[in-house]
Amino acid sequence: MPASPTLRHDYHFASDNTSGICPEAWSALTQANQGRVPSYGTDDWTRRACDLIREVFEKPDAEIFFVFNGTSANSLALASLCQSYHSVICHDFAHVEVDECGAPEFFSNGTKLLTATGANGKLAPETVERLILKRTDIHFPKARVLSITQSTEWATVYSREEISALSAVAKRHGLAVHMDGARFANAAAALAARPRAGGKGEGHSPADFTWRAGVDVLCFGGTKNGMNTTEAVVFFNPELAKEFDYRCKQAGQLASKMRFLSSQWVGMLENGAWLRHGAHANAMTQRLASALRALPGIKLLAEPEVNAVFVELAPEVARRLQEKGWHFYNFIGAHGYRLMCSWDTRAEDIESFIVDLRAALSA
Ligand SMILES: *Cc1c(COP(=O)(O)O)cnc(C)c1O
């Protein structure tokens, strides 16, 4: 992966947002930095970016808004689907529940999040239905949205069939479906690599596992894919986007120099770079997982389908690696760590990590 020689690549498996801006987004920013153009999203870069997103999703009437980060994308999207007396069903590991400081509740003026658990970061239709039906009386907030994360916080991917089954339950009970796609590119790349169902060429396009599977709103992640401070809120049902521009403005999420958010999407979408970077991060993760499996005494806590490996490390082993300068987070229990790859992870980074891990294990 060619990148600026000034970028320091090694020592980072902490998150995909510790990586820099990828060459395609950077080059688009440079091109967009020419002269004066209209502000607040009325420029040609923004028009092109929206059209490219409509093309990727085969949805000419989709409504698209660019915001600065994932927390605002999720919170504002959820707020637009809910009244203050509603509730949102999500996984108990969901970013909206554990990593957004109550922003979904805040921006929706009190909508409650209801959490359910499920293996590998995924919700199952029966669990969702049980939660919807648990309380339907006037004294409990009415379930209004199902929120799922694709790819999940556990580096797994919902198949199109799984999403359709979840949406079917949601729709049966009058709930809308929101997808947190902070790592949508990783999921799209992983699904594109899967064999097609029934040989009919159906199944794994971005349209297939979003709106065709019942998703109403997608928060399409740009930042973790290699862009800077930009996420796209994609309303597949344009009715739901009504007055969303006002919501963004009020929340401080309407960029005046919008071209510097939207141009990056043009650079990433027009030549497929978004999928290549997603696939690269996934491939580096598989490489890391294989190297870890080959080490005696190392236990993987989940089978990675996208760009993170969850591994159990003894405290002294983790400490030795951290003393060597490696960055990674404790994620599950006392000894479960997450090692995350990104668009800029190199095979050499994985090799040096494994060398240091081997030394830490035998110290
Ligand atoms: C990173 C991430 C987000 C967005 O987080 P911000 O820091 O607000 O940009 C949202 N959802 C998931 C699952 C994430 O991993």
Side-chain angles (χ1 to χ4, degrees):
M1 187 69 41
S4 153
T6 57
L7 276 182
R8 190 190 156 99
H9 290 273
D10 50 349
Y11 295 124
H12 265 290
F13 289 103
S15 176
D16 31 11
N17 58 25
T18 59
S19 59
I21 303 176
C22 69
E24 294 85 354
W26 190 265
S27 152
L29 282 169
T30 308
Q31 288 172 51
N33 195 26
Q34 309 275 335
R36 294 192 163 213
V37 306
S39 50
Y40 295 110
T42 55
D43 62 294
D44 283 341
W45 284 103
T46 305
R47 215 178 338 269
R48 275 171 72 194
C50 291
D51 284 343
L52 282 163
I53 290 176
R54 292 186 186 106
E55 256 174 55
V56 163
F57 289 96
E58 306 167 59
K59 195 83 175 81
D61 63 342
E63 290 282 354
I64 295 123
F65 303 85
F66 299 101
V67 295
F68 295 110
N69 54 39
T71 298
S72 60
N74 284 333
S75 303
L76 298 176
L78 291 171
S80 75
L81 300 173
C82 291
Q83 297 291 334
S84 56
Y85 49 83
H86 283 143
S87 61
V88 172
I89 291 180
C90 65
H91 195 278
D92 54 10
F93 255 74
H95 199 273
V96 291
E97 161 72 5
V98 299
D99 277 317
E100 299 192 352
C101 196
E105 294 93 329
F106 174 77
F107 282 108
S108 56
N109 298 311
T111 299
K112 188 179 173 74
L113 300 188
L114 300 179
T115 63
T117 197
N120 303 316
K122 292 189 192 177
L123 289 172
E126 315 78 68
T127 320
V128 170
E129 187 152 53
R130 214 175 304 127
L131 198 49
I132 295 171
L133 296 175
K134 192 171 152 197
R135 287 280 300 269
T136 52
D137 59 274
I138 191 93
H139 305 285
F140 197 73
K142 187 170 195 258
R144 177 68 187 107
V145 179
L146 169 64
S147 175
I148 56 176
T149 310
Q150 176 80 321
S151 49
T152 72
E153 288 79 0
W154 276 75
T156 53
V157 175
Y158 284 103
S159 68
R160 181 187 65 139
E161 292 75 15
E162 288 172 323
I163 296 168
S164 295
L166 284 163
S167 297
V169 167
K171 300 281 145 101
R172 192 154 67 236
H173 296 286
L175 279 71
V177 179
H178 162 260
M179 179 178 273
D180 174 352
R183 299 191 177 93
F184 187 81
N186 302 92
L191 287 174
R194 285 188 188 171
R196 304 205 162 240
K200 285 182 292 213
E202 62 176 20
H204 302 323
S205 74
D208 290 332
F209 65 91
T210 56
W211 62 272
R212 285 195 194 118
V215 175
D216 297 295
V217 184
L218 166 70
C219 295
F220 187 3
T223 308
K224 285 170 179 155
N225 191 212
M227 295 177 241
N228 186 41
T229 42
T230 177
E231 314 277 305
V233 182
V234 183
F235 287 90
F236 297 114
N237 174 355
E239 281 292 294
L240 298 174
K242 205 163 154 269
E243 299 183 350
F244 194 73
D245 43 354
Y246 287 89
R247 208 177 272 287
C248 290
K249 175 68 192 185
Q250 187 185 51
Q253 290 288 326
L254 178 66
S256 58
K257 295 191 181 181
M258 185 67 89
R259 61 174 144 157
F260 298 108
L261 274 63
S262 56
S263 60
Q264 298 180 75
W265 289 92
V266 175
M268 291 292 270
L269 295 173
E270 71 183 355
N271 58 14
W274 71 287
L275 280 174
R276 281 198 302 280
H277 288 312
H280 172 82
N282 295 351
M284 286 296 115
T285 307
Q286 288 305 323
R287 197 180 178 109
L288 176 59
S290 309
L292 290 167
R293 276 190 211 100
L295 292 176
I298 289 287
K299 188 172 147 217
L300 298 195
L301 297 168
E303 283 307 308
E305 294 179 318
V306 278
N307 63 324
V309 185
F310 295 89
V311 65
E312 196 171 280
L313 296 174
E316 65 279 8
V317 172
R319 187 179 41 76
R320 281 180 206 125
L321 284 167
Q322 282 157 348
E323 278 167 8
K324 277 250 178 188
W326 292 100
H327 293 264
F328 49 91
Y329 292 126
N330 171 230
F331 211 76
I332 307 157
H335 310 305
Y337 294 88
R338 184 184 76 174
L339 301 171
M340 190 135 230
C341 296
S342 188
W343 67 269
D344 67 344
T345 305
R346 303 170 309 172
E348 301 95 280
D349 305 333
I350 291 166
E351 276 148 35
S352 5
F353 180 78
I354 295 294
V355 167
D356 285 347
L357 174 55
R358 222 182 253 121
L361 285 167
S362 57

